[in-house]
Amino acid sequence: MILDFVTNNVASIVSNSFLLICGLHHTLINFTRHQIYSQSLANNFIAETSPTFLNWPFLMLRSCCSISKRSKREEQYHIRNSDCGKYSWDKEKPNPAEYCFVNLYGEIAIKSDGHITGEQFTVEKCKECCILLLDYLATVNVDDCEECLIVTGPCRGSVFIRDCKNITVFTISQQFRSRDCINIDVFLFCTTKPIIESSKLMRFRSLTLSYDKVEEHMMKASLSPFINNWNNVHDFTPDDVPNFEICITEYDNIKKMDMIRNVKNITFFPELSFLPLYAVPNKITGKKILILCMERDGETLTSFNGRILKFLKEILAQGAELITTRDMTIRKKELEPSFMCKKYAKLSGRLITLEIAWNREEIEKSIRMISDIVEVVDDCDFEHHRATLYRFAQMQTDIC
């Protein structure tokens, strides 16, 4: 009896549930048919909806299970922000306070290798200071300084001096600019033409400088030691009296030099300088000679630069005067339209030109002792070769 009662009740419950589901199903179909205007769309909707609706209990159970599993998986593999490691491409933002000297008085302030590393640096409102930035830099701004001596390492951008007076600057840069300055001594190595504006009593000299890792810093700043326009100054605001002067390199009358002599591993002596000393063009009396220095096959840039700089030091120590240098890269047959001589028309690779004032016999003797990949241009070809190669080098510099 009990078994029959249970069986009948269960059957009744299942039957009623089935009827309820069917009723809801038919209600949904009728509602959908009245809501959709197109009979074809209604049929498609019913065909797609009916199986899904009939299986709704199973779908709800499956959805709940998947959510539960997914939440557990997320908890298992979730990484909190605090646990995230640093990646190789992550770079901490520089602290501006680490890249400036401001409001100093009577101090020796130094930034050595690894303390600037290609960042922008500012020197502002300093007085009677000796400031040394012995690292490679992006740009340097010097504002409102007086009676200071400032030395910068290679700067791949511009060195901009504004509203300064009675200061001395030793700098290696891609560009040099001054504005509203008075009585400035500039010892300069500059890839492009220096620019002055609203400035007076500006004196430019060839820079000789050496300190630890200066050669490495030149490479990091992408500066060649053979592209130097230190004396090709352009004045945006010329007067009847020249605002600048090209002077011989000497240090006897430079203020604050006594402060810098106590600093280790830095020197300005030409014979110890990494950079060659250039002569003042209008004071040269010797015969001008053009020397072509070619790169050897497979020679590294460091080796090539070192070989030519060593050669320059040796001939300058013997009495030669360096007028100007150029650095260029020549592709095959690129010079054929400009040179009738096949020997020069076939030049390719990296080429450095040295314009020297000295005795030709002494130059040729020194070249034979050092290298067979250094050649002296004949006197009759000097003007043509000089003009052609300098124009070619200038085009490459302007493009860069």
Side-chain angles (χ1 to χ4, degrees), residues 176-189:
F176 177 88
R177 300 191 66 178
S178 72
R179 190 181 69 197
D180 300 316
C181 294
I182 300 176
N183 194 31
I184 310 295
D185 286 290
V186 184
F187 292 79
L188 183 63
F189 181 100

Side-chain angles (χ1 to χ4, degrees), residues 215-374:
E215 183 177 2
E216 178 183 332
H217 293 165
M218 286 282 289
M219 296 286 289
K220 289 182 177 180
S222 301
L223 298 177
S224 168
F226 303 104
I227 304 178
N228 190 4
N229 284 281
W230 69 279
N231 61 331
N232 295 326
V233 181
H234 179 74
D235 188 355
F236 271 122
T237 53
D239 292 331
D240 295 336
V241 178
N243 294 318
F244 69 92
E245 182 182 1
I246 306 300
C247 304
I248 297 174
T249 299
E250 55 185 4
Y251 305 101
D252 295 339
N253 298 322
I254 302 300
K255 298 179 180 179
K256 307 295 180 185
M257 287 299 292
D258 55 334
M259 296 178 67
I260 208 170
R261 288 192 180 97
N262 297 325
V263 179
K264 295 182 179 179
N265 301 322
I266 181 171
T267 180
F268 300 96
F269 293 116
E271 58 272 17
L272 300 176
S273 173
F274 168 72
L275 300 170
L277 174 64
Y278 292 80
V280 178
N282 60 6
K283 298 184 182 298
I284 291 174
T285 57
K287 184 178 180 60
K288 295 180 180 180
I289 301 169
L290 186 64
I291 303 174
L292 307 183
C293 307
M294 281 76 73
E295 187 179 27
R296 294 185 177 125
D297 292 337
E299 188 173 21
T300 64
L301 181 61
T302 302
S303 175
F304 183 43
N305 288 346
R307 178 164 60 88
I308 305 306
L309 288 171
K310 180 181 178 181
F311 169 68
L312 267 177
K313 284 184 179 181
E314 291 183 1
I315 62 175
L316 293 179
Q318 297 176 42
E321 293 179 292
L322 179 60
I323 302 172
T324 187
T325 58
R326 295 290 189 275
D327 188 345
M328 65 199 82
T329 301
I330 302 171
R331 293 175 293 183
K332 289 184 178 180
K333 299 183 179 181
E334 197 167 21
L335 294 180
E336 283 187 358
S338 303
F339 287 94
M340 297 297 293
C341 178
K342 293 183 179 180
K343 179 174 64 174
Y344 296 118
K346 292 182 178 180
L347 287 175
S348 64
R350 189 151 175 259
L351 174 68
I352 292 174
T353 64
L354 312 175
E355 188 174 341
I356 304 290
W358 201 28
N359 181 280
R360 186 179 182 89
E361 288 73 20
E362 293 293 335
I363 285 284
E364 291 178 343
K365 180 181 177 181
S366 298
I367 288 174
R368 285 194 298 269
M369 294 175 61
I370 294 175
S371 174
D372 57 351
I373 313 183
V374 178

Side-chain angles (χ1 to χ4, degrees), residues 41-308:
L41 291 176
N43 292 335
N44 291 337
F45 180 80
I46 294 168
E48 294 175 2
T49 307
S50 298
T52 304
F53 185 81
L54 289 173
N55 294 327
W56 69 270
F58 172 74
L59 293 175
M60 289 186 64
L61 180 61
R62 180 180 177 183
S63 175
C64 293
C65 293
S66 63
I67 291 173
S68 177
K69 290 180 180 179
R70 185 165 61 250
S71 62
K72 291 181 179 180
R73 188 181 299 113
E74 288 175 350
E75 290 178 0
Q76 182 179 359
Y77 294 102
H78 179 67
I79 300 177
R80 298 179 181 178
N81 292 334
S82 60
D83 297 332
C84 293
K86 292 185 178 180
Y87 297 97
S88 59
W89 55 83
D90 289 337
K91 184 178 180 180
E92 295 183 0
K93 293 183 179 179
N95 180 8
E98 296 293 328
Y99 301 98
C100 65
F101 288 139
V102 181
N103 292 322
L104 302 183
Y105 180 82
E107 298 185 31
I108 298 178
I110 302 175
K111 289 284 186 178
S112 55
D113 176 57
H115 289 83
I116 303 177
T117 58
E119 298 291 341
Q120 177 179 337
F121 204 93
T122 300
V123 180
E124 185 176 357
K125 296 180 181 178
C126 296
K127 190 173 182 180
E128 297 187 15
C129 293
C130 178
I131 295 172
L132 308 179
L133 308 178
L134 305 182
D135 201 350
Y136 71 100
L137 310 98
T139 60
V140 179
N141 294 322
V142 181
D143 297 321
D144 299 299
C145 292
E146 298 181 24
E147 305 290 343
C148 290
L149 186 148
I150 301 171
V151 181
T152 81
C155 178
R156 65 170 175 258
S158 62
V159 173
F160 201 178
I161 302 177
R162 297 172 291 195
D163 301 298
C164 296
K165 60 182 180 181
N166 305 326
I167 69 171
T168 300
V169 179
F170 299 80
T171 184
I172 304 170
S173 65
Q174 193 270 340
Q175 183 185 56
F176 177 88
R177 300 191 66 178
S178 72
R179 190 181 69 197
D180 300 316
C181 294
I182 300 176
N183 194 31
I184 310 295
D185 286 290
V186 184
F187 292 79
L188 183 63
F189 181 100
C190 189
T191 300
T192 58
K193 294 181 179 180
I195 295 172
I196 65 173
E197 182 179 357
S198 302
S199 300
K200 298 181 181 298
L201 300 177
M202 304 287 295
R203 292 173 293 276
F204 290 86
R205 295 177 171 89
S206 173
L207 173 67
T208 55
L209 172 67
S210 185
Y211 67 86
D212 288 347
K213 297 190 176 182
V214 62
E215 183 177 2
E216 178 183 332
H217 293 165
M218 286 282 289
M219 296 286 289
K220 289 182 177 180
S222 301
L223 298 177
S224 168
F226 303 104
I227 304 178
N228 190 4
N229 284 281
W230 69 279
N231 61 331
N232 295 326
V233 181
H234 179 74
D235 188 355
F236 271 122
T237 53
D239 292 331
D240 295 336
V241 178
N243 294 318
F244 69 92
E245 182 182 1
I246 306 300
C247 304
I248 297 174
T249 299
E250 55 185 4
Y251 305 101
D252 295 339
N253 298 322
I254 302 300
K255 298 179 180 179
K256 307 295 180 185
M257 287 299 292
D258 55 334
M259 296 178 67
I260 208 170
R261 288 192 180 97
N262 297 325
V263 179
K264 295 182 179 179
N265 301 322
I266 181 171
T267 180
F268 300 96
F269 293 116
E271 58 272 17
L272 300 176
S273 173
F274 168 72
L275 300 170
L277 174 64
Y278 292 80
V280 178
N282 60 6
K283 298 184 182 298
I284 291 174
T285 57
K287 184 178 180 60
K288 295 180 180 180
I289 301 169
L290 186 64
I291 303 174
L292 307 183
C293 307
M294 281 76 73
E295 187 179 27
R296 294 185 177 125
D297 292 337
E299 188 173 21
T300 64
L301 181 61
T302 302
S303 175
F304 183 43
N305 288 346
R307 178 164 60 88
I308 305 306

